[in-house]
Amino acid sequence: MSLWETKILTFVDSCSAGSFETSDDAIWALAAILDEAPPEVAPIVSQRADNDRLTELLDVDAQINAAIELVGPTCGILLTSSPIGSSSGLVKIIDEVEEGNFFASDPAIALLGAYGRALVAILATVRITGGTTL
């Protein structure tokens, strides 16, 4: 497992543990990790919003929109929120690999946690099947 994969797993664990004080913190943490993506992962993370766009969205308290744009336009997403305050995120990156899903009290964190899990699933599949391209 690469250092970058470990960072993604640590991010997902931090989402699970409620380690982020705000969804803004989670958005910036994942953006920093995605900025460090190795070249073989670039095709699935390169179409995301850049940091200037994220700043624009977060400046107007549009955390869910920022999370959606951080995930990027080529992923399938589903975000639900219940009346009791829990949210569920689901992210599908490529059809051949199981989607990532995640539950959290904050919808933006639920979506980002799901994206992290989807990335981990893809990387594990590539490693198991011996593939080198995404």
Side-chain angles (χ1 to χ4, degrees):
M1 179 175 298
S2 71
L3 176 60
W4 191 78
E5 290 174 79
T6 301
K7 288 181 180 183
I8 291 287
L9 284 172
T10 300
F11 172 80
V12 172
D13 287 344
S14 295
C15 290
S16 294
S19 299
F20 295 109
E21 199 167 307
T22 67
S23 54
D24 290 33
D25 295 337
I27 289 165
W28 289 122
L30 185 56
I33 294 167
L34 296 177
D35 285 344
E36 299 173 1
E40 63 271 13
V41 181
I44 59 173
V45 299
S46 62
Q47 296 186 24
R48 70 173 187 84
D50 63 21
N51 290 346
D52 291 337
R53 176 66 178 152
L54 294 175
T55 298
E56 288 175 11
L57 291 167
L58 295 176
D59 282 349
V60 295
D61 292 326
Q63 286 81 6
I64 296 172
N65 291 42
I68 290 169
E69 290 195 26
L70 185 58
V71 169
T74 60
C75 295
I77 62 167
L78 176 65
L79 184 61
T80 63
S81 184
S82 78
I84 60 170
S86 62
S87 297
S88 170
L90 184 104
V91 175
K92 183 77 163 177
I93 299 175
I94 58 175
D95 287 338
E96 295 79 15
V97 178
E98 182 79 19
E99 67 273 349
N101 59 47
F102 197 84
F103 295 90
S105 59
D106 182 284
I109 292 175
L111 185 60
L112 298 177
Y115 185 48
R117 284 192 172 164
L119 287 170
V120 168
I122 287 175
L123 296 171
T125 300
V126 168
R127 198 170 37 255
I128 289 168
T129 61
T132 56
T133 58
L134 296 173

